[in-house]
Amino acid sequence: MTYDDIPHLSAKIKPKQQKVELEMAIDTLNPNYCRSKGEQIALNVDGACADETSTYSSKLMDKQTFCSSQTTSNTSRYAAALYRQGELHLTPLHGILQLRPSFSYLDKADAKHREREAANEAGDSSQDEAEEDVKQITVRFSRPESEQARQRRVQSYEFLQKKHAEEPWVHLHYYGLRDSRSEHERQYLLCQGSSGVENTELVKSPSEYLMMLMPPSQEQEKDKPVAPSNVLSMAQLRTLPLADQIKILMKNVKVMPFANLMSLLGPFIDSVAVLRGIQKVAMLVQGNWVVKSDILYPKDSSSPHSGVPAEVLCRGRDFVMWKFTQSRWVVRKEVATVTKLSAEDVKDFLEHMAVVRINKGWEFILPYDGEFIKKHPDVVQRQHMLWTGIQAKLEKVYNLVKETMPKKPDGQSGPAVLVSGDQRVQVAKSKAQQNHALLERELQRRKEQIRASTVLPGVRIKEEPMSEEGEEEEEREVEEDEEPMDTSPSRGLHNRLANGLPAGRAAGGDSFNGHPPPGCASTPVARELRAFVEATFQRQFVLTLSELKRLFNLHLASLPPGHTLFSGISDRMLQDTVLAAGCKQILVPFPPQTAASPDEQKVFALWESGDMSDQHRQVLLEIFSKNYRVRRNMIQSRLTQECGEDLSKQEVDKVLKDCCVSYGGMWYLKGTVQS
């Protein structure tokens, strides 16, 4: 018998018990079906008479019931797999049921058999024995059923069986394997994404994927001893991913040198990966790592002492951490006055990272780690940038007077050392002598380079006298012969815009005084910077210097430790690279009352990107070199006049979207609008 021969299917479901009963018809005309056996089973179950309550109304066993049973209690480790066109699609399973034949009809046949035997015995005894005496019958009325009794009756096995028997059967229709409806339902097992690029990237380690596919069973987890909440097992800790290990250790210890963290994680852990992970959960203070405030005070939590929200606690603790980047000592009264927090909260902050000294205040708990500062300058520079941003927020929130950060490039205060006045004088004299000798040698070397270099025709080198403060600085000015202005129509648009580089320098082919021109990709730093600038302007087209510096800082924060760009990029080097990359500076006429900073008033635009809209963008940029804000109809008419053709609305919209923003009915270059 095949499933295609099934006349009909019926089913009913127990919603509370999550069970299914499936009633499947039996093909009685199949040659493999024993008709006499089927008639005998129907006779045993229903008896000779057939009525509405009969199991087999046709007096023939023509159906079989299957009842579901739960195969496993944990289905999280099972999935349905479908392989198609070289791709394996996995669908998680939330439940697995196994259908088994139900033999309830045999119980019904046994019950019928016992009833017939009882009836026969009762008939025989009535013939042999005398008629029984008439007995008095007492009629009793049942008491009202209590609530507890009703609940016991409802939950009894007999009641549940009766309710389940009363449930109606739902008729089903069977679809074959190659039926169109079956194929439609099978499509739900395939990933519906149009592109699998985002889903195919492996973002976890092989051990983490193995743990996700085969998580430990509940029985194994129950066998593990339960440790107190404040006790951390190193054996269990090292089974977790590296990021979780670092987070748990820092959350428990709160302040730790990097060397101690590496020793706790084990000898085979990559220090670069640890550095990348520690910066996500901790901040650098005096060369040591202090856990971030939002790790200790997560969102939607509050202080156990005063009940203030977590956001206020994080801000107050950040202020304490920032104070320790300025000095070895912090006074609790000063912190309480500035943050307006309770004494208990401030004491908790300080106990996390400091120890109290009588008549002195609170001293940072660990000594200054100068070895880490010298070994990882790129990490220190990134942390210094983060602390600068935190300082600006704290000054704004607490209305602080701006304090000067330490002059050290790492932004960390060194260990406090008591030095006498005579010692300071001697140290200053020795440093002055060393600096003087170094400056003399540097000056002599530069003069020799100037004499040896070949002076280009039309170029004069001017030497300035050295400054009196001891810092020798040599400035050279290059003056070039004036060239006649090109007034041809094809170059008129170029000449009307100001650029930071002459035409010869923008090409990047000449050298000046023996040095490569700005933007020349002669060093790894210059090549990396040039690649960043070109990629940024291909996406943005128009950027102010302040916005470009912000994007560059975000790019630095995303780079791994030890990258070449951490060597230090000045604003001048960044501007020269922008101009050498084919961009131009647009001299936007800002209004006199503008609040834009000097960096916000320096606007650079990509002159040629290689697409069809280059000419349209050049006309638009020329308009904004004479106007701070422009209406759309003026841009439309100017584009039509310059390009000599009627542009479609989509082309104008594309040019405006690339270079401009709309505010108050007017159009501005990106980054120049002042609301």
Side-chain angles (χ1 to χ4, degrees):
M1 181 182 64
T2 63
Y3 284 107
D4 295 332
D5 300 329
I6 298 175
H8 69 272
L9 290 174
S10 298
K12 58 181 179 180
I13 302 174
K14 296 181 179 180
K16 294 184 178 180
Q17 288 82 12
Q18 294 295 319
K19 289 186 178 181
V20 177
E21 282 191 4
L22 181 65
E23 186 179 88
M24 185 177 68
I26 299 177
D27 185 9
T28 58
L29 301 178
N30 192 283
N32 296 324
Y33 181 79
C34 183
R35 190 173 183 86
S36 61
K37 190 67 175 177
E39 292 177 351
Q40 183 63 40
I41 294 176
L43 180 62
N44 295 337
V45 173
D46 297 328
C49 61
D51 54 12
E52 296 179 355
T53 61
S54 299
T55 304
Y56 304 111
S57 58
S58 63
K59 296 184 179 181
L60 192 68
M61 183 180 178
D62 56 356
K63 56 186 177 180
Q64 175 68 52
T65 303
F66 293 86
C67 184
S68 68
S69 61
Q70 193 171 7
T71 59
T72 177
S73 59
N74 183 15
T75 60
S76 60
R77 60 180 65 210
Y78 294 96
L82 185 61
Y83 185 80
R84 177 170 294 186
Q85 297 180 357
E87 297 178 348
L88 182 63
H89 300 258
L90 297 178
T91 303
L93 299 179
H94 300 286
I96 303 175
L97 297 179
Q98 182 180 15
L99 292 174
R100 295 180 178 179
S102 175
F103 302 99
S104 58
Y105 63 91
L106 297 179
D107 298 335
K108 190 174 182 181
D110 291 341
K112 289 281 186 181
H113 179 68
R114 287 194 295 269
E115 289 179 0
R116 285 194 295 268
E117 288 185 349
N120 293 334
E121 291 178 358
D124 296 340
S125 61
S126 61
Q127 294 176 1
D128 299 338
E129 297 179 359
E131 187 176 350
E132 297 181 356
D133 298 336
V134 178
K135 296 182 179 180
Q136 184 178 3
I137 299 176
T138 304
V139 179
R140 295 180 180 179
F141 295 94
S142 62
R143 297 180 180 179
E145 188 179 24
S146 63
E147 182 64 25
Q148 294 180 352
R150 190 190 68 82
Q151 291 181 359
R152 286 195 299 268
R153 181 177 59 82
V154 169
Q155 296 176 359
S156 64
Y157 176 77
E158 292 79 8
F159 183 83
L160 294 177
Q161 287 294 103
K162 181 180 178 182
K163 293 291 291 184
H164 176 63
E166 293 175 355
E167 290 183 4
W169 288 91
V170 179
H171 292 278
L172 306 177
H173 181 73
Y174 175 77
Y175 293 93
L177 181 63
R178 292 179 174 81
D179 193 271
S180 60
R181 180 61 181 269
S182 299
E183 181 63 27
H184 174 75
E185 294 294 331
R186 199 178 297 114
Q187 293 298 321
Y188 288 108
L189 297 177
L190 298 175
C191 180
Q192 301 299 323
S194 58
S195 174
V197 177
E198 303 85 7
N199 301 328
T200 58
E201 183 181 359
L202 299 178
V203 297
K204 295 183 179 295
S205 63
S207 60
E208 292 174 345
Y209 274 107
L210 184 61
M211 184 64 67
M212 292 172 60
L213 291 174
M214 293 293 294
S217 61
Q218 297 181 357
E219 292 77 7
Q220 295 177 358
E221 294 178 353
K222 291 179 180 178
D223 294 340
K224 296 179 180 179
V226 179
S229 58
N230 59 343
V231 176
L232 188 64
S233 171
M234 294 302 298
Q236 296 182 8
L237 177 69
R238 292 183 179 178
T239 61
L240 301 176
L242 180 60
D244 294 340
Q245 294 184 44
I246 297 174
K247 182 177 180 181
I248 292 174
L249 285 174
M250 292 305 304
K251 187 175 181 180
N252 284 271
V253 182
K254 301 191 177 51
V255 184
M256 189 187 305
F258 185 74
N260 291 11
L261 179 62
M262 289 297 299
S263 63
L264 291 174
L265 293 175
F268 304 106
I269 301 299
D270 184 17
S271 61
V272 177
V274 177
L275 278 174
R276 191 179 296 111
I278 190 64
Q279 295 182 66
K280 297 179 181 179
V281 298
M283 296 291 294
L284 191 65
V285 178
Q286 299 188 23
N288 301 281
W289 292 99
V290 182
V291 64
K292 289 184 178 181
S293 302
D294 55 358
I295 302 295
L296 296 180
Y297 304 106
K299 192 177 180 181
D300 299 332
S301 63
S302 59
S303 169
H305 305 293
S306 58
V308 298
E311 182 181 359
V312 180
L313 293 176
C314 291
R315 191 163 55 231
R317 188 174 180 274
D318 287 345
F319 176 75
V320 175
M321 294 169 61
W322 173 74
K323 290 293 291 182
F324 276 119
T325 64
Q326 310 293 306
S327 173
R328 290 283 302 175
W329 302 89
V330 169
V331 180
R332 188 173 73 171
K333 290 184 179 179
E334 178 187 356
V335 176
T337 303
V338 173
T339 60
K340 302 295 189 298
L341 293 173
S342 64
E344 292 81 4
D345 291 333
V346 175
K347 186 177 179 181
D348 285 348
F349 300 158
L350 294 171
E351 287 179 345
H352 291 166
M353 64 192 81
V355 291
V356 64
R357 305 295 186 191
I358 300 176
N359 297 329
K360 291 185 178 181
W362 291 78
E363 184 184 11
F364 193 69
I365 193 170
L366 294 178
Y368 181 83
D369 192 352
E371 182 178 355
F372 179 84
I373 297 296
K374 295 178 182 178
K375 191 175 180 180
H376 303 282
D378 50 347
V379 177
V380 174
Q381 182 181 2
R382 184 183 300 178
Q383 289 292 310
H384 175 68
M385 295 167 56
L386 295 176
W387 276 121
T388 303
I390 293 175
Q391 179 188 2
K393 292 181 180 179
L394 294 175
E395 290 173 351
K396 183 178 180 181
V397 172
Y398 293 130
N399 297 323
L400 302 177
V401 178
K402 287 193 175 182
E403 300 182 32
T404 306
M405 295 290 287
K407 295 183 180 180
K408 297 175 62 175
D410 51 31
Q412 307 293 334
S413 59
V417 179
L418 297 178
V419 182
S420 63
D422 295 337
Q423 291 176 342
R424 291 184 180 182
V425 173
Q426 294 297 330
V427 172
K429 286 183 178 180
S430 62
K431 286 185 177 180
Q433 293 175 359
Q434 294 176 1
N435 292 337
H436 185 268
L438 292 174
L439 292 174
E440 286 289 343
R441 289 196 296 269
E442 181 67 18
L443 177 61
Q444 189 65 26
R445 185 182 64 81
R446 291 189 178 185
K447 287 183 177 180
E448 291 176 356
Q449 289 182 354
I450 294 172
R451 295 191 190 98
S453 61
T454 302
V455 181
L456 298 175
V459 178
R460 295 197 301 267
I461 300 176
K462 179 180 178 181
E463 295 184 9
E464 293 288 345
M466 301 300 117
S467 61
E468 299 180 358
E469 298 179 357
E471 295 183 356
E472 306 295 340
E473 185 178 317
E474 185 176 348
E475 298 180 355
R476 290 177 289 178
E477 295 182 356
V478 179
E479 300 178 1
E480 301 185 0
D481 295 338
E482 296 183 357
E483 297 180 357
M485 181 180 298
D486 188 356
T487 58
S488 61
S490 62
R491 296 287 301 277
L493 189 59
H494 274 275
N495 294 330
R496 287 195 294 268
L497 288 175
N499 195 3
L501 285 177
R505 290 183 65 182
D510 299 330
S511 62
F512 296 86
N513 300 333
H515 297 279
C520 180
S522 59
T523 63
V525 176
R527 288 194 295 269
E528 291 288 340
L529 185 60
R530 178 71 173 264
F532 163 76
V533 169
E534 290 178 349
T536 302
F537 274 93
Q538 284 291 341
R539 295 191 305 267
Q540 302 285 350
F541 291 101
V542 176
L543 286 171
T544 62
L545 180 58
S546 62
E547 179 65 12
L548 181 61
K549 289 163 65 176
R550 186 187 71 83
L551 295 176
F552 182 67
N553 289 332
L554 293 176
H555 180 64
L556 284 179
S558 65
L559 294 177
H563 198 274
T564 56
L565 286 181
F566 285 109
S567 58
I569 304 298
S570 62
D571 291 355
R572 179 59 183 272
M573 184 176 180
L574 186 61
Q575 294 181 63
D576 290 345
T577 305
V578 170
L579 298 174
C583 301
K584 289 183 178 291
Q585 182 176 354
I586 312 301
L587 299 180
V588 180
F590 282 82
Q593 69 277 11
T594 181
S597 63
D599 286 349
E600 293 175 342
Q601 296 185 28
K602 291 183 179 180
V603 184
F604 298 93
L606 181 62
W607 190 249
E608 292 182 356
S609 63
D611 59 9
M612 301 295 294
S613 303
D614 281 344
Q615 184 181 4
H616 304 158
R617 280 194 294 268
Q618 292 170 8
V619 174
L620 181 67
L621 295 175
E622 184 199 19
I623 296 174
F624 280 100
S625 67
K626 298 179 181 179
N627 302 275
Y628 173 64
R629 55 183 181 180
V630 188
R631 293 189 179 275
R632 182 188 173 93
N633 55 2
M634 178 181 176
I635 297 174
Q636 182 87 33
S637 60
R638 185 64 180 274
L639 286 173
T640 303
Q641 178 183 357
E642 292 287 341
C643 299
E645 58 183 3
D646 293 332
L647 300 178
S648 63
K649 182 177 181 299
Q650 291 78 8
E651 292 175 326
V652 177
D653 290 342
K654 181 182 184 305
V655 175
L656 292 175
K657 182 180 178 181
D658 290 343
C659 305
C660 304
V661 293
S662 177
Y663 183 79
M666 305 294 289
W667 288 89
Y668 302 78
L669 277 185
K670 289 182 178 180
T672 62
V673 60
Q674 302 293 323
S675 57

